[in-house]
Amino acid sequence: PTMKVAGEALAFTYSQAYALPIVCLRLFTVFGPRQRPDLAIRKFAGMILTGEEIPLFGDGGLERDFTYVDDIVEGMVLAIEAQGAFDVFNLGNSHPVRVDHMVETLARALGKRPRVKYLPTPPGEMLLTHADLTKVHHALGYVPKVSFEAGIQVFAQWFKAQM
């Protein structure tokens, strides 16, 4: 978080010093087709299909604000078209999902049963990420449209086609 805040402060400084219109976007757990292989949903999808154990921290109750890529792109387009000197907006789904529920939903979409291994939660691990969309909704009209479950279905279809 410190680096993000520092980056936003630098962007604000440049915006003010050089009259640059700058919008900073905070993206919340983006997922969908062509997702990077090191991120949880894609990584876990591969593990589910190969029967590997999926490591979950704690009791699986960590919550993430999974946001489908199409909603993120819509928010980016709205931000590009925004008027103003400087602003920071959250782009997310605003409906946190437990990680154990994510694994179960993903496994159902892939047609397999997951094998889960519970591990101690590392110090400093965020228990919850949740995008407050109040500001971006009022300023830009951003409203995510794709539910987590619908996005997982599209991702799973794409992922199975890659195998």
Side-chain angles (χ1 to χ4, degrees), residues 102-116:
M102 177 270 286
V103 170
E104 288 294 330
T105 304
L106 180 58
R108 269 195 312 279
L110 293 168
K112 294 274 194 169
R113 294 202 40 84
R115 294 179 54 228
V116 175

Side-chain angles (χ1 to χ4, degrees), residues 5-158:
V5 172
E8 291 168 359
L10 185 61
F12 174 77
T13 301
Y14 270 80
S15 175
Q16 297 302 304
Y18 300 105
L20 294 172
I22 296 176
V23 176
C24 297
L25 301 175
R26 297 175 180 163
L27 310 182
F28 284 73
T29 318
V30 183
F31 77 98
R34 292 174 289 287
Q35 182 175 2
R36 285 183 9 216
D38 60 317
L39 298 179
I41 289 178
R42 182 154 177 199
K43 183 177 176 181
F44 289 175
M47 296 171 89
I48 289 167
L49 289 182
T50 60
E52 294 175 63
E53 282 187 332
I54 296 170
L56 291 186
F57 295 134
D59 65 354
L62 300 178
E63 294 180 83
R64 297 294 177 259
D65 195 2
F66 296 105
T67 312
Y68 191 68
V69 65
D70 289 2
D71 287 331
I72 293 294
V73 170
E74 180 180 335
M76 288 177 169
V77 170
L78 290 169
I80 288 168
E81 296 171 348
Q83 302 297 311
F86 176 83
D87 224 324
V88 178
F89 295 112
N90 294 333
L91 294 181
N93 193 29
S94 196
H95 295 289
V97 173
R98 285 177 53 113
V99 175
D100 56 358
H101 177 72
M102 177 270 286
V103 170
E104 288 294 330
T105 304
L106 180 58
R108 269 195 312 279
L110 293 168
K112 294 274 194 169
R113 294 202 40 84
R115 294 179 54 228
V116 175
K117 179 179 182 178
Y118 294 96
L119 303 172
T121 303
E125 182 72 28
M126 296 294 296
L127 301 179
L128 168 69
T129 62
H130 180 261
D132 180 347
L133 303 180
T134 306
K135 180 179 174 182
V136 73
H137 174 70
H138 290 304
L140 305 180
Y142 174 78
V143 178
K145 295 174 181 63
V146 181
S147 71
F148 171 71
E149 290 76 11
I152 286 292
Q153 287 296 324
V154 175
F155 169 81
Q157 290 172 2
W158 170 82

